[in-house]
Amino acid sequence: MGRSPCCEKAHTNKGAWTKEEDERLTAYIEAHGEGCWRSLPKAAGLPRCGKSCRLRWINYLRPDLKRGNFTGEEDQLIVKLHSVFGNKWSLIAGQLPGRTDNEIKNYWNTHIKRKLLISPTNATASASAPPILSGTTPSTAGPERPPTLMTEEVPSKNRHYCLPDLNLELNMRLPSPPQWPTAPADEDYNRESLPLCCNLGFHDCNKLHGED
DNA sequence: AAGCATCCCAACCGCTGGTTC
DNA sequence: CGAACCAGCGGTTGGGATGCT
């Protein structure tokens, strides 16, 4: 097949970007726009691979980036969105203008995750609350799942296990027998794939609150 | 002041899904 | 149709900054 390799690793720099590299990249993108990251380093005269240029631009050089600390609203929004999307940082970043997936991921890992883990009431909630997903996934159903929005500004007296506004539920199960197209012999199930039913929808919050 | 521990974040690595040849 | 490429994503890490003893 007639394509050249992604980048010549022998002639590419690694590690921290220099000011000159930043300026070259910025100037090139301002002149030619984003896109075609593969050919960009050569065209811009940068000893970097396209992947590295893309990352540097998106995470650091883009003019519309919001620098500085996350606000309380952003903080809470991230927690909410994480409860919906899990570790889909790009989706979460899409809801926070001026923030990058990398930034949010770092913020989550260094600030929010710890805050949620520290909260003793949250630990209790994790232990007692039913799992959100019937079929567990590491990003949303494991010990790191943030089931509650529990930050220190909530007085302990008023704390209760309030779920975020949105919570998608994914169920996977075998279809009930009457839905089977034909009734196969047991041995057929042993060697052939089974049809699965998947439901995607919202939680019944009352059930999770134990209020039904 | 020096040494050590911890925090934080920029950047790299490896994987995936879509596209191109 | 399969192999290779490409962009994008999430996980991980290296090392500078900061705090503590």
Side-chain angles (χ1 to χ4, degrees):
Chain A
M1 295 296 165
R3 287 201 176 186
S4 53
C6 146
C7 53
E8 293 176 52
K9 293 197 173 177
H11 300 104
T12 55
N13 282 356
K14 280 191 177 182
W17 280 64
T18 64
K19 201 181 170 199
E20 191 193 343
E21 285 176 324
D22 281 347
E23 284 167 1
R24 276 197 187 192
L25 180 58
T26 305
Y28 184 87
I29 290 175
E30 279 173 358
H32 301 91
E34 288 182 44
C36 200
W37 296 106
R38 184 175 171 267
S39 59
L40 186 149
K42 197 175 179 183
L46 282 163
R48 296 274 180 174
C49 78
K51 213 171 172 178
S52 181
C53 293
R54 178 187 154 272
L55 212 62
R56 182 65 177 172
W57 173 255
I58 288 175
N59 288 334
Y60 199 81
L61 297 175
R62 248 170 46 198
D64 58 327
L65 283 181
K66 201 191 281 182
R67 313 296 302 179
N69 296 337
F70 283 76
T71 64
E73 284 138 29
E74 285 176 318
D75 186 293
Q76 293 202 3
L77 185 56
I78 290 168
V79 174
K80 272 191 186 181
L81 290 169
H82 186 271
S83 73
V84 177
F85 297 128
N87 290 4
K88 298 289 176 190
W89 306 114
S90 60
L91 284 175
I92 296 171
Q95 307 301 312
L96 288 150
R99 300 296 189 184
T100 69
D101 53 353
N102 204 34
E103 201 176 6
I104 293 169
K105 179 173 61 180
N106 281 332
Y107 186 68
W108 176 269
N109 286 330
T110 56
H111 293 84
I112 303 177
K113 202 160 121 181
R114 186 178 313 145
K115 195 155 73 177
L116 289 169
L117 283 173
I118 283 170
S119 167
T121 49
N122 186 50
T124 312
S126 297
S128 61
I132 281 183
L133 297 181
S134 314
T136 59
T137 61
S139 64
T140 51
E144 292 175 4
R145 178 174 64 86
T148 62
L149 180 55
M150 195 62 72
T151 53
E152 53 264 50
E153 59 265 23
V154 180
S156 58
K157 169 173 164 270
N158 297 330
R159 282 184 189 167
H160 63 281
Y161 302 128
C162 50
L163 287 167
D165 296 338
L166 286 173
N167 236 327
L168 294 175
E169 179 178 24
L170 175 63
N171 288 322
M172 294 185 75
R173 59 177 172 80
L174 293 172
S176 52
Q179 293 172 344
W180 293 342
T182 57
D186 286 345
E187 59 225 302
D188 290 328
Y189 271 109
N190 290 336
R191 63 169 186 264
E192 290 182 359
S193 59
L194 291 173
L196 291 173
C197 290
C198 301
N199 298 324
L200 185 63
F202 290 96
H203 273 296
D204 181 340
C205 296
N206 289 336
K207 277 184 187 168
L208 286 175
H209 282 275
E211 295 166 2
D212 51 346

